[in-house]
Amino acid sequence: IGIVLACMELALAAAASQLGLLVKRFSEITLIKFAFIICALSLAIIPGINNIWMLLFAIILFGAAQGISLPLIQTLLAHSAPEDYRAAFMSMNVTVQSIARAIGPIVAGIGLGVVGMQNVFYISAGIALFTVVLLNPLLKAEGRRQKAVKKRVA
């Protein structure tokens, strides 16, 4: 378990360290959507994996997706928050992430007992895809706002 978690964190760090290059080629919005889709893909393939090397591949994909999405979401929050409330927005984001990391395993454990391990991963992948659909209007609006700001600056 330790090596799996370490690989995920290393992939997260590696992907996050390359965001500057990625943002030059792709919009933040596109990268967030892509990261959620990769996250869903990595979760969906885990139940069919039967060896550690393929599991590490899926976990590395998951970590890289997290490394792309988390900093970009924080950046969008920072840019969209009023300057006087930016610290409150950022602290709320950390609070929500911490609660999710605490509650997620409990919910997954309950789901394990109800629907089985494979279905927990499939449901998690579905939630990731649903999140993209749910956030799409907000991300589009943010993309339009960013373009308007760039036009005003230029």
Side-chain angles (χ1 to χ4, degrees):
I1 293 176
I3 194 162
V4 170
L5 293 175
C7 285
M8 183 176 69
E9 293 300 326
L10 289 171
L12 189 151
S17 73
Q18 299 305 307
L19 272 179
L21 295 173
L22 290 172
V23 169
K24 288 179 183 176
R25 292 199 66 199
F26 307 101
S27 75
E28 293 169 339
I29 306 306
T30 300
L31 287 170
I32 290 171
K33 290 176 186 178
F34 174 76
F36 272 87
I37 292 168
I38 294 301
C39 180
L41 175 67
S42 67
L43 289 168
I45 65 174
I46 287 175
I49 293 174
N50 58 7
N51 70 53
I52 188 68
W53 302 112
M54 290 304 294
L55 178 62
L56 286 177
F57 174 73
I59 294 300
I60 288 168
L61 275 178
F62 184 81
Q66 295 290 308
I68 291 169
S69 66
L70 292 176
L72 290 175
I73 290 169
Q74 289 178 335
T75 300
L76 289 179
L77 277 173
H79 287 296
S80 63
E83 195 168 327
D84 293 345
Y85 299 105
R86 193 163 290 157
F89 270 65
M90 299 311 291
S91 66
M92 183 60 84
N93 180 45
V94 171
T95 301
V96 169
Q97 287 180 12
S98 298
I99 291 169
R101 280 193 300 269
I103 292 174
I106 295 168
V107 172
I110 293 167
L112 173 68
V114 175
V115 297
M117 180 65 83
Q118 289 182 331
N119 290 327
V120 168
F121 283 103
Y122 294 139
I123 291 168
S124 297
I127 290 170
L129 291 176
F130 180 70
T131 301
V132 173
V133 171
L134 188 67
L135 291 179
N136 196 43
L138 295 174
L139 292 173
K140 282 184 179 180
E142 179 60 24
R144 286 191 297 273
R145 189 192 68 77
Q146 286 180 358
K147 285 179 185 176
V149 168
K150 287 179 183 177
K151 281 184 180 179
R152 280 187 275 159
V153 172

